[in-house]
Amino acid sequence: MTSHAAIIDRDHLAALTDRERSAYRANFPGSREAFSADGTHLLGGVPMTWMRMWPGGFPVYHATASGARLTDIDGHDFIDFCLGDTGAMAGHSPAAVQAAVARRYGELGGATTMLPTPDAAWVAAELARRFGVARWSFTLTATDANRWAIRLARQVTRRPKIAVFSYCYHGSVDESFIVATPDGPRPRAGNVGAPVDPRETTRVVEFNDLAALERELAHDDVAAVLMEPALTNIGIVLPEPGYLDAVRELTRQAGALLINDETHTFSAGPGGCTAAWGLEPDLVTIGKAIGGGIPAGAYGLSAELAERILGDPSADIEDTGGVGGTLAGNALSVAAMRATLGEVLTDQAFDGMITVATRFAAGVQDVLDTRRLPWNIVQLGARAEYRFCPEPPRSGGESQAAADAELDEYLHLYMINRGVLMTPFHNMALMCPATTEADADAHTAVFAAAADDLLG
Ligand SMILES: Cc1ncc(COP(=O)(O)O)c(C=O)c1O
């Protein structure tokens, strides 16, 4: 922290958070009531347990959504920068996806039949154009895309382990719940019912630490490095210049495959970081945004890797070999993906989204500068995130050290109470094609007010 940096008075912060909690309870009586009335038979009172992460003791209940806007059952209007934690990066219910879904499900009929539809080949070709790997297959989630990618990598390399980065998140992938500590790797805190200790399956290093990666790959037992080209689930941690090229070089030397998980880093452009930064992974995984909100995921392999897996007589990739999903590649999902990629998250759309995100980040930076707040904001294309440390963190471990649950709660409540929705964990904001510069400015104004209140 610089000597001129503003200091946060923790008692004042606690008092402000109390004020915002009370305002939240008063502002959202319908949601409060729905939570206490509906919750009895829901595990944890919510449809999915992570919905408990919203601040204020109960979540806001969603009523309608369109583009970058969302309304709740109490009639509030929100600018939505959460966008379903990227699942709605195309905006809520974009017209093209609505039409494709209505046509497939209503007019033509049949969401899931075990038979292909022509849309799948179109989507695969488009993903190949964008991400550079040639052969694609589908899942319903990004988690499954990662799971199957890992299995394929193990199969072709005949190696048992994967390597990940400390504080990464790739969905509920057993191998990935591991962190690096000064005393060596350990399972990530709270890992639920782990099938095996992840130290048996996984090597873990800090992002941007090439020496550590080289050391771990030297064991010659790593099938694949699974990475986001920039970490996005512990704030945003960008790669240092040359780092990703060196990772590619090291993996090639060590005979390990490289999997780019572009589920969130898709925000960097139409072909994610892979295209934006000229990367050459062996596999790419993606989910969430590509279906315009309809469940869909995909994994792509280089042509060479696809040949190896298809030609391997000991790999049952068709029946019960462990790579599957009855509804994967279903007609409804691929119709939604075709509309999303073909008509909504187009190359041109990204230009607009990135312009708005740049304005969002500049607005936040101006507030930080003028208030001398020792925080930083990092932008990755259409996504931006602020973190409570003066310089952008270089690794997951560094970023974790800057986490501040009290500040998060205060800011999240402050925003929701004033019609701005951010992700319920850390401080991520995402722009969709419908997000406007005025929306970005509205966030800046609320953020500035929150900062001013905080600084008294
Ligand atoms: C980078 C990344 N990969 C994979 C996933 C898993 O996505 P899903 O929960 O939709 O399977 C996430 C979820 O946040 C993610 O951030």
Side-chain angles (χ1 to χ4, degrees):
M1 193 183 289
T2 67
S3 54
H4 298 297
I7 307 291
I8 307 300
D9 175 336
R10 291 284 154 176
D11 291 338
H12 181 53
L13 171 60
L16 286 175
T17 304
D18 273 348
R19 182 191 76 188
E20 294 301 321
R21 271 195 217 112
S22 304
Y24 181 79
R25 291 181 70 76
N27 284 341
F28 301 101
S31 287
R32 183 155 44 98
E33 171 58 25
F35 180 68
S36 48
D38 294 353
T40 319
H41 296 290
L42 291 168
L43 179 65
V46 282
M48 181 59 212
T49 44
W50 50 251
M51 290 183 191
R52 290 159 62 95
M53 288 183 76
W54 288 101
F58 58 91
V60 163
Y61 278 58
H62 154 216
T64 67
S66 174
R69 300 281 160 162
L70 191 147
T71 68
D72 72 350
I73 62 171
D74 284 300
H76 300 99
D77 200 1
F78 293 94
I79 304 171
D80 187 5
F81 293 104
C82 170
L83 293 172
D85 191 20
T86 307
M89 190 168 106
H92 295 293
S93 302
V97 183
Q98 279 187 49
V101 167
R103 181 165 158 72
R104 180 70 265 170
Y105 196 83
E107 223 175 289
L108 300 173
T112 187
T113 61
M114 287 195 89
L115 300 172
T117 53
D119 288 336
W122 188 95
V123 174
E126 177 64 5
L127 290 171
R129 179 188 77 82
R130 291 182 182 222
F131 293 97
V133 288
R135 306 278 185 268
W136 287 81
S137 190
F138 299 105
T139 63
L140 289 183
T141 65
T143 299
D144 274 353
N146 285 323
R147 287 190 181 132
W148 311 154
I150 289 170
R151 276 185 174 258
L152 297 181
R154 284 202 176 108
Q155 179 70 25
V156 294
T157 61
R158 304 290 199 269
R159 289 179 172 187
K161 293 201 174 183
I162 65 154
V164 299
F165 295 86
S166 202
Y167 291 100
C168 66
Y169 186 72
H170 297 283
S172 47
V173 173
D174 292 322
E175 289 89 341
S176 63
F177 293 104
I178 185 167
V179 289
T181 78
D183 304 324
R186 64 166 172 76
R188 194 158 173 174
N191 194 6
V192 179
V196 293
D197 187 318
R199 284 171 288 206
E200 288 181 31
T201 58
T202 312
R203 298 190 175 278
V204 59
V205 295
E206 289 287 4
F207 200 77
N208 278 322
D209 185 344
L210 275 177
L213 184 64
E214 187 168 17
R215 188 187 62 231
E216 294 302 319
L217 291 178
H219 293 274
D220 287 340
D221 58 1
V222 171
V225 173
L226 171 62
M227 79 186 303
E228 289 189 282
L231 299 182
T232 66
N233 285 293
I234 185 81
I236 296 174
V237 180
L238 295 176
E240 291 179 339
Y243 175 67
L244 294 176
D245 290 340
V247 168
R248 181 66 276 199
E249 192 55 35
L250 285 179
T251 50
R252 282 201 175 113
Q253 279 166 15
L257 299 171
L258 179 63
I259 307 171
N260 275 4
D261 179 348
E262 290 275 15
T263 302
H264 276 187
T265 49
F266 188 24
S267 65
C273 290
T274 298
W277 299 341
L279 308 177
E280 295 177 357
D282 301 293
L283 296 104
V284 172
T285 56
I286 189 163
K288 300 204 198 190
I290 54 171
I294 301 295
Y299 55 97
L301 299 74
S302 65
E304 188 259 324
L305 201 54
E307 289 304 311
R308 281 167 71 189
I309 196 78
L310 291 171
D312 183 341
S314 69
D316 173 5
I317 59 164
E318 292 170 10
D319 195 1
T320 51
V323 175
T326 311
L327 272 71
N330 72 77
L332 187 65
S333 294
V334 290
M337 282 189 273
R338 181 174 188 164
T340 305
L341 296 173
E343 299 177 64
V344 189
L345 290 176
T346 58
D347 294 6
Q348 300 88 306
F350 274 91
D351 291 342
M353 290 152 67
I354 292 170
T355 301
V356 176
T358 303
R359 188 176 179 102
F360 180 102
V364 170
Q365 188 62 56
D366 185 57
V367 172
L368 302 185
D369 292 344
T370 49
R371 276 72 174 179
R372 293 188 174 149
L373 273 168
W375 307 344
N376 72 85
I377 178 152
V378 176
Q379 182 185 351
L380 182 66
R383 178 189 306 280
E385 171 138 7
Y386 33 92
R387 202 84 187 140
F388 308 120
C389 49
E391 299 298 330
R394 291 183 54 250
S395 67
E398 261 184 48
S399 195
Q400 168 64 16
D404 190 321
E406 291 170 1
L407 276 174
D408 275 350
E409 187 187 4
Y410 165 66
L411 286 170
H412 292 169
L413 285 169
Y414 201 101
M415 296 277 167
I416 291 192
N417 282 333
R418 289 155 187 84
V420 174
L421 210 61
M422 306 280 283
T423 43
F425 21 83
H426 42 109
N427 293 285
M428 189 211 73
L430 183 64
M431 317 298 139
C432 70
T435 314
T436 63
E437 297 203 337
D439 293 336
D441 293 348
H443 169 271
T444 303
V446 177
F447 182 69
D452 289 341
D453 280 5
L454 189 59
L455 299 173

